[in-house]
Amino acid sequence: MSDLSVWIVIAGLTLVTVATRSAFLVLGERFALPERVQHGLRYAPACALVALIAPELVVSNGTLALSLANPKLMAGLAAGGVMLGTRSMMAAMAVGMLVFAGLRHFAG
């Protein structure tokens, strides 16, 4: 690709991003999202977080590692269990880090 092509692609992507993100601000109350769409959008942050974290937990050295020997997966499961049980983000992070550090320390 030439330099001009790269800049055209960057400009196009910028315009599309600005248009889609500002549409809700510009349209405001004139355009109401259906109730079903609004309900679905409430789960978007959680889905994005899972999409970012899950691959890191289940992939080790480029391969799928769904075993008890995977310290990241075990720490993630422990943190998830604590979060479901206590609804405390700080407790979930602390338990996850402790489990991960412990498994790494004793496995290595």
Side-chain angles (χ1 to χ4, degrees):
M1 282 182 96
S2 69
D3 288 344
L4 179 62
S5 298
V6 170
W7 283 109
I8 290 172
V9 169
I10 290 172
L13 290 172
T14 302
L15 289 173
V16 169
T17 301
V18 168
T20 56
R21 290 178 183 245
S22 64
F24 294 108
L25 297 173
V26 173
L27 296 175
E29 296 294 323
R30 291 175 285 206
F31 177 75
L33 290 174
E35 184 67 31
R36 194 167 189 175
V37 172
Q38 289 180 8
H39 181 70
L41 285 175
R42 287 192 289 167
Y43 297 102
C47 292
L49 187 61
V50 168
L52 290 171
I53 293 173
E56 185 64 31
L57 296 179
V58 299
V59 175
S60 181
N61 297 328
T63 60
L64 192 61
L66 295 175
S67 71
L68 296 175
N70 181 355
K72 292 181 197 175
L73 180 59
M74 294 300 107
L77 291 174
V82 168
M83 186 65 194
L84 287 174
T86 66
R87 298 285 186 210
S88 171
M89 182 63 73
M90 293 301 289
M93 288 190 302
V95 167
M97 290 306 296
L98 285 171
V99 168
F100 179 71
L103 289 173
R104 290 281 306 245
H105 176 71
F106 293 116

